[in-house]
Amino acid sequence: VCALIAGLALRLAEPSTALTRQALALAGERWYALTLEEQHLGYLRTHNYRDRQGNWVFESEQRFAMNPYDPAATTSRRTFASAEPHPLISAEQLQSRRGQMEGVRIEADGAGYLARRLPEDGTAPSRLDWQYRLADYLDFELWLARTQPEPGRSRSVMSLNFDRLEPARRIFDVVARDGGRYTIQNGAPYSATRIQLDDRLAPEAMTIAGLFNLTLAPKAKALAPRSTLQAASYHIPLDRRLPDHTEISELTLAIVGHDAPARLFPEAKRSDGQWVLRLEQNARANGRPTAEHREETVQIPARHPEIRALAEAAVRDLEDDRSRAAALNRFVHEFVTYRPGHAPQSVLALLDTRIGDCTEFADLLTSLARSIGLPARTVFGLAYADGQNPAFAYHAWNEIQIDGDWHPFDPTWGQARLDATHLPLPDDEKAAMLLLTGAVSLQFEVLDVQYF
């Protein structure tokens, strides 16, 4: 009892500031139901509180499943010191899928931080020399409370980016205002988020990529059994098989079963009463090379000693970038054994198992290329999947910058010249998500095939 009274006295003695008042306004546990076109996929839980030392803790847990065999979860925690200026003490983000877990843990160390990749692999922690405080984390809410901005105003805030292991700028726009309640939006690629805030500036509803919805709900409703998507298979059926598909230079397809296919495939044209999609070799994703395509991230460990050693051994004494990129592509194709549907794993874990799906092939090639200074990226899209029931299915491959231009490679199939069955995802975020989640019903019919 004495300890509780002493703790209460300490809290009452603390100076109340706009920052601490806003942190207290967000305190508590909140549950959100995650849905896609009225189908329940999972939930988000947030829990904000002060621990026994008075530190400010912000936790989140998101669990969902596009189908009953593919559950995924992401949990995160940020802890800020009780004393001003409330610096970040620790932070972590963990992702798990199909029994595999990976993530990052950041801990204060002197004037900076140490970052460790999880699960531990014996690698020395990375030293980070930036600073991040509670005021940075709640900057946008403080700005709303202080200025009460009208719609049309924007604010750039520092958000802790676990992938890049540093704070990164995010811009939020004020879309609408109703008294002390706001609707805001962040336009990040493939995850543009619109958020409705209540009068405490806590989220009460969110829409992600114009497709997924998170709605504040009682715990029982948020935890309701997840329904299975009827068409979440990443497949678009094809009316017949394509012999020697890796040698196809041009492919003409009719799009059947969708009223507005041009929204899904901007290249589609109306011809003779039907929608036609013409695909050509070496199709490229949109977007110019940027500094990010050279960087190391949690998913792309380009500076890891093992990655550098493998890349240098693969290119040996080759000097021109085209030959170096081709050598890396051949190396990955021979190094990894392809197993469709294999449990996702990190690039570093792949070095031990040497078994993976197309994403593992592509992320390894991206890591190797960046490690020797070649800008590279992993490309996601649809590609022909041969078999008893031929279809276009989810696939990943690469683009590497050579002489200022992107050049595609497919390490899974060992291609340095991509055939015409590779179809990058559209720029339209909602269209891309509809294709990836199988939320649209359509099929392709083969009209014409040309070979190299």
Side-chain angles (χ1 to χ4, degrees), residues 243-250 415 417 419-420 450-452:
D244 300 322
H245 66 91
T246 59
E247 296 298 320
I248 294 176
S249 61
E250 296 182 19
Q415 292 181 301
R417 174 189 63 182
D419 63 77
Q450 300 291 327
Y451 288 86
F452 290 118

Side-chain angles (χ1 to χ4, degrees), residues 2 35 53-54 68 79 138 146 152 166 194-195 200 216 224 236 240 248 257 305 309 352 385 392 409 442:
C2 291
T35 59
Q53 289 74 43
T79 302
L138 298 180
R146 183 177 67 253
E166 64 182 4
R194 179 172 287 222
I195 307 172
R200 297 164 70 90
L216 191 66
I236 298 178
R240 63 182 174 90
I248 294 176
D352 294 326
F392 271 71
F409 294 86
L442 71 157

Side-chain angles (χ1 to χ4, degrees), residues 14-24 56 84 86 134 142:
E14 285 183 344
S16 175
T17 65
L19 177 59
T20 57
R21 287 194 297 273
Q22 184 56 56
L24 288 171
W56 302 91
E84 292 185 340
H86 309 294
L134 181 61
L142 291 169

